[in-house]
Amino acid sequence: MPTVRRLCHDFLDRQGLTTVFGNPGSNELPFLADLPDGFRYVLGLHEGAVVGMADGYAQASGRPVLVNLHAASGSGNAMGALTNAVASRTPLVVLAGQQVRPAIGPEANLASVDAQTLMKPLVGWAAEPACAEDVPRALAQAVFEARLQQRPTYLSVPYDDWSAEAGDNAPAVLDRRVERASVPGGEQARALVERVADARRPALVLGGDIDSAGLFDDAVRLAERLGGPVWAAPSLFRLPFPNRHPQFRGVLPAGIAPVSEAFEGHDLVLVLGAPVFRYHEYLPGRYLPEGTRLVQVTEDASAAARAPMGEALVADPGAVIGLLLRSLDARGEPAGPYRPAPEPLTADGPSLHPEQVFAALRDELPEDTAYVVESTSTNSAWWRQMDLRRQGSYYFPAAGGLGFGLPGAVGVAMAQPGRPVVGVIGDGSANYGITALWTAAQHRVPLTIVLLRNGTYGALRWFGGLLGVPDAPGLDIPGLDFTRVAEGYGVRAQHVGGVEELRAVLAERPDHPRLIQVDTALTTPS
């Protein structure tokens, strides 16, 4: 009779979850014992960085990833990073170690009391098996729930369960398959096609799920068939459409009134693969202009249920895009040429304007480079200068919490070793996931981190201005030298001054991780 550990290892192998991101504690060692040769354990030095790396890896690979955390303390350390994985609908399977069963009730040290509720409501499903024999089935449910819900799941397992016998019925999980098909029915399809075909001035809003699902090019074809303007949904975490395409109008502002203003004159707004909407700044007003109808298509049933207006269809956006492409005639003239980027702004003094940095990235790096961005204060400069035309080119912290960017870049680079990956990280956010540099060095990940140092939390200064509190304490962070920090973790680093030096450094193609620190002038996000 196989042990629970052996059976679970076999199940994970069959499901393709052979890369494990973790930071082990005593409760996790029995699960990690005898890990098969085909598995890869990616060690992170802090649980927040562990989840960030796994999040980036899962998004870039398009597959669920196993995360191994230490009881309640390690799970707690990971919660901030987990918020981004939840908002980006990343299918992480979080497996946490628990004390031995006899020690849980007395609350022995490292026991996780009421473990299944610890991570709620962040995760889509959480459990602690009632007995050792149920562990393989519960692990299978954690994997399938993560896939079906596109959301992290959490399983707490007492560490004495791993060496127990699995039971006669447990091997049945090895051959399980759980799949989902979500295609509009006949009447739903007819009504949707008619609504879009009858619209005089349709507008298209695309969410990050379009890029996550591999629908980037299909979205371009649909937009060109419809002929109207295209926006990216607010609070964007993946880019679903080429940002210099002639039909692209940018990322919708994250406020009620400005979103409504953007839709003026459009009788139909078709939202694909996005919530309606993830506002940020509280700018009240009408949700939609008079006479404008909104139709949302999403696989996220919760997003459909909580939307404050419009109609919603819970279905596969890819199936809907295919249906519309087959059913609609092209409108108007074909799309024109892509818009060129403007000349970058310059800064007074020795610091570079962020636009100069982004123009250098655009010109010196390959066109298929994937960028993981966590520099909110330079958002406006980023979109003015970048030219992103390929799927999987842009990753951003989906929940707005700092700490995803640097670990996420490590994870994306590990998942796509044949694609150039660059992390564009602000000096404020870098501190949250800095330990990921060590993992990058240990695995010799060919990753470039461009560290933008302006000595302040620029996005907070901008938001403070909106709130009328521009001089709040704690907004400046002077005295940080990330070149020395990076070298301490084993990553080669240098500080560059002028734009020509930056371009020369970016033109190099090292096969190891590196950090480039650039002093930049303070700008505003929008």
Side-chain angles (χ1 to χ4, degrees):
M1 182 68 62
T3 63
V4 168
R5 175 175 53 245
R6 171 66 182 278
L7 194 63
C8 287
H9 286 170
D10 287 349
F11 171 78
L12 292 170
D13 190 15
R14 293 193 184 194
Q15 295 295 322
L17 276 76
T18 55
T19 295
V20 184
F21 289 85
N23 180 272
S26 54
N27 293 1
E28 290 68 54
L29 296 178
F31 164 73
L32 297 173
D34 302 320
L35 204 63
D37 291 339
F39 280 64
R40 175 174 61 163
Y41 187 86
V42 181
L43 174 63
L45 302 185
H46 184 275
E47 288 89 349
V50 165
V51 171
M53 290 188 290
D55 187 0
Y57 187 96
Q59 288 195 52
S61 67
R63 301 189 304 273
V65 174
L66 188 67
V67 179
N68 192 216
L69 300 180
H70 181 42
S73 58
S75 299
N77 286 340
M79 279 189 180
L82 196 65
T83 62
N84 285 314
V86 171
S88 60
R89 304 185 68 225
T90 304
L92 300 183
V93 180
V94 180
L95 180 64
Q98 171 67 291
Q99 256 286 12
V100 296
R101 287 187 178 273
I104 299 172
E107 296 189 20
N109 192 26
L110 299 180
S112 182
V113 180
D114 203 7
Q116 59 265 44
T117 65
L118 176 65
M119 306 296 271
K120 292 182 177 179
L122 289 176
V123 297
W125 177 88
E128 184 172 279
C131 62
E133 289 187 4
D134 194 43
V135 171
R137 185 212 59 80
L139 178 60
Q141 184 175 357
V143 172
F144 296 139
E145 292 274 10
R147 283 183 179 150
L148 292 172
Q149 296 191 46
Q150 290 293 292
R151 186 167 179 162
T153 57
Y154 185 80
L155 183 66
S156 171
V157 179
Y159 74 76
D160 51 335
D161 285 4
W162 296 112
S163 59
E165 289 190 355
D168 294 336
N169 288 326
V173 303
L174 294 177
D175 296 322
R176 289 206 69 212
R177 292 180 61 191
V178 177
E179 298 178 347
R180 183 177 193 168
S182 186
V183 178
E187 178 59 27
Q188 293 170 328
R190 183 194 62 78
L192 179 63
V193 170
E194 285 185 359
R195 183 151 299 162
V196 176
D198 291 345
R200 292 175 290 102
R201 291 199 64 207
L204 190 61
V205 177
L206 303 173
D209 290 356
I210 296 299
D211 191 54
S212 301
L215 301 172
F216 188 92
D217 294 333
D218 291 338
V220 173
R221 284 191 285 272
L222 176 61
E224 293 178 350
R225 181 72 56 86
L226 293 176
V230 180
W231 281 274
S235 303
L236 189 68
F237 66 94
R238 299 278 290 264
L239 179 66
F241 198 79
N243 70 299
R244 308 217 78 84
H245 190 283
Q247 291 174 241
F248 191 59
R249 299 295 183 267
V251 182
L252 281 172
I256 295 172
V259 165
S260 182
E261 291 169 6
F263 296 151
E264 285 284 355
H266 295 284
D267 55 343
L268 177 69
V269 177
L270 178 61
V271 182
L272 300 177
V276 176
F277 287 108
R278 294 193 67 222
Y279 304 112
H280 181 202
E281 306 98 62
Y282 183 62
L283 300 171
R286 289 180 57 95
Y287 283 121
L288 292 171
E290 189 73 33
T292 300
R293 302 184 69 174
L294 183 145
V295 176
Q296 174 194 25
V297 178
T298 177
E299 283 191 302
D300 186 348
S302 176
R306 69 175 182 264
M309 77 291 199
E311 304 168 36
L313 177 63
V314 179
D316 174 11
V320 169
I321 290 174
L323 170 68
L324 293 175
L325 286 173
R326 292 191 300 271
S327 305
L328 298 176
D329 296 327
R331 303 176 182 226
E333 298 296 321
Y338 279 44
R339 297 187 300 268
E343 283 295 316
L345 299 176
T346 59
D348 296 329
S351 298
L352 297 182
H353 193 284
E355 288 199 19
Q356 293 176 286
V357 178
F358 302 148
L361 292 173
R362 183 196 67 226
D363 294 342
E364 303 299 334
L365 294 175
E367 292 181 354
D368 65 337
T369 298
Y371 295 94
V372 183
V373 181
E374 194 169 85
S375 176
T376 309
S377 65
T378 61
N379 190 55
S380 177
W382 172 265
W383 292 119
R384 270 177 52 88
Q385 290 301 322
M386 298 307 293
D387 187 349
L388 306 177
R389 306 189 186 190
R390 288 170 172 77
Q391 180 178 311
S393 293
Y394 177 78
Y395 300 82
F396 190 84
L402 298 182
F404 166 76
L406 208 160
V410 176
V412 170
M414 293 185 73
Q416 298 182 332
R419 185 173 186 178
V421 178
V422 173
V424 179
I425 313 297
D427 53 354
S429 63
N431 296 284
Y432 289 74
I434 197 68
T435 59
L437 289 174
W438 181 87
T439 304
Q442 294 299 308
H443 290 265
R444 202 173 173 83
V445 179
L447 168 69
T448 294
I449 298 295
V450 177
L451 197 295
L452 306 179
R453 187 175 68 167
N454 60 22
T456 189
Y457 289 114
L460 286 181
R461 287 200 170 279
W462 168 78
F463 201 74
L466 290 181
L467 298 178
V469 285
D471 298 320
L475 300 186
D476 291 327
I477 46 173
L480 293 171
D481 185 350
F482 289 93
T483 62
R484 298 174 69 183
V485 174
E487 288 167 355
Y489 281 114
V491 172
R492 300 180 194 178
Q494 63 190 111
H495 180 263
V496 301
V499 67
E500 294 307 319
E501 181 186 6
L502 174 62
R503 287 177 175 270
V505 171
L506 289 175
E508 300 170 0
R509 300 288 180 265
D511 61 355
H512 54 77
R514 61 173 175 168
L515 184 143
I516 304 168
Q517 180 173 279
V518 187
D519 289 337
T520 56
L522 182 63
T523 58
T524 58
S526 59

